[in-house]
Amino acid sequence: QVQLVESGGGLVEPGGSLRLSCEASEMLDETSPVGWYRQAPGEQREFVAGMRSKTEIKYAESVRGRFTISQDNAKNTVYLQMNMVKLEDTAVYFCATAYWPFVVMPDYWGQGTQVTVSS
């Protein structure tokens, strides 16, 4: 099982930007697509973005056009660039390996990274 560690969370103002990182313990490829998920207080965990390759990328409708997922294979790291953040983006963000097209929720989770959007 690939181990993933999230980082990069913090406090950001509405309209601002933040980049989250998800570092893997081993090389990532199309057999281990990585997705980003989030869980707001009192809410269920939900899918945010995921990719299997440079041409197979999926976004939740709530973040499409604002968030961008990318992968640096040399660093075994998947990023989530968050732009034009909104108050409702406040949540703990998790990355996890999953099955394309990210319909089934993953079985294994890390500890996540907190993102707080506030003025």
Side-chain angles (χ1 to χ4, degrees):
Q1 183 68 29
V2 177
Q3 302 299 313
L4 302 172
V5 178
E6 307 93 341
S7 63
L11 176 64
V12 59
E13 294 184 347
S17 298
L18 203 61
R19 189 178 78 161
L20 306 183
S21 299
C22 173
E23 186 172 357
S25 59
E26 58 189 68
M27 185 180 67
L28 298 169
D29 56 27
E30 293 186 359
T31 65
S32 54
V34 174
W36 281 98
Y37 302 79
R38 67 187 181 186
Q39 187 167 18
E43 302 290 333
Q44 289 192 343
R45 197 165 298 185
E46 64 176 2
F47 169 79
V48 174
M51 68 182 297
R52 184 166 69 172
S53 68
K54 290 183 179 180
T55 58
E56 295 174 296
I57 296 175
K58 183 178 178 181
Y59 294 100
E61 198 58 39
S62 59
V63 306
R64 188 184 305 276
R66 301 187 297 119
F67 291 10
T68 303
I69 188 171
S70 62
Q71 184 167 320
D72 185 336
N73 291 329
K75 296 182 179 180
N76 294 338
T77 300
V78 177
Y79 300 100
L80 184 69
Q81 178 66 43
M82 306 169 59
N83 296 330
M84 296 181 290
V85 298
K86 303 177 181 180
L87 294 174
E88 53 263 40
D89 294 323
T90 294
V92 178
Y93 284 71
F94 303 87
C95 62
T97 54
Y99 297 101
W100 177 265
F102 301 100
V103 173
V104 177
M105 294 296 276
D107 295 324
Y108 301 97
W109 301 97
Q111 58 187 18
T113 185
Q114 175 72 49
V115 172
T116 302
V117 182
S118 175
S119 55

